[in-house]
Amino acid sequence: MKTLIVYSSKSGNTRKLAEAVFDFLPGEKILKPVIERPDPAEYDFVVIGFWLQAGKADPASTEYLEKLAPSNVFLFATHGAGTDSAHALNAMKVAKELVGTSKIFGSFSCQGEVKAEFLAKVQKKDPPPPWIKDAPAAVGHPNTTDIADLQKELERAVTLLRSSI
Ligand SMILES: Cc1cc2nc3c(=O)[nH]c(=O)nc-3n(C[C@H](O)[C@H](O)[C@H](O)COP(=O)(O)O)c2cc1C
């Protein structure tokens, strides 16, 4: 199985997960930042990681997802919002809709620590964005538990994918 892992990361959280995906998945694989716009054509599996900005996938990832040729996809994300918050769940739903012509084999998201300076700035906004109340709890994430949970979802997705090809 040939896997392309594509990620976007401003402060390192999503890259940390992308590297864990790379280490975990078997077979031939390649890890690429989204700014390189890697062509998914030759890959059996395309794993795409993004971070949330303004309630949705960051702009570079949004563009990549919108233009993605039909592929077998797994999506993952990090965000300041709580893992099961409506904000985070909705952002993943919207990201899945962007890759409408692809087959989605699974997804995962978790909190990612928000830089203290940025957090302090955003907390002063009036009104503050909905996700900011959860952001203090994101300190230290993604952690080893998040990575183990991501691996479980990936394992599930790979089993499904193998049974479909
Ligand atoms: C400019 C900016 C906007 C953000 N907007 C959101 C948002 O709308 N929702 C959210 O849950 N987190 C938001 N965050 C938090 C990041 O999504 C989170 O810290 C993420 O883990 C960052 O990933 P990275 O380290 O890979 O860049 C924002 C962070 C920044 C810097």
Side-chain angles (χ1 to χ4, degrees), residues 4-18:
L4 169 66
I5 303 148
V6 188
Y7 69 93
S8 175
S9 188
K10 189 176 154 89
S11 60
N13 298 328
T14 317
R15 189 180 65 236
K16 188 174 174 183
L17 291 187

Side-chain angles (χ1 to χ4, degrees), residues 60-75:
S61 298
T62 294
E63 193 192 337
Y64 188 77
L65 292 168
E66 279 170 347
K67 293 182 178 165
L68 190 75
S71 309
N72 296 325
V73 171
F74 182 98
L75 298 179

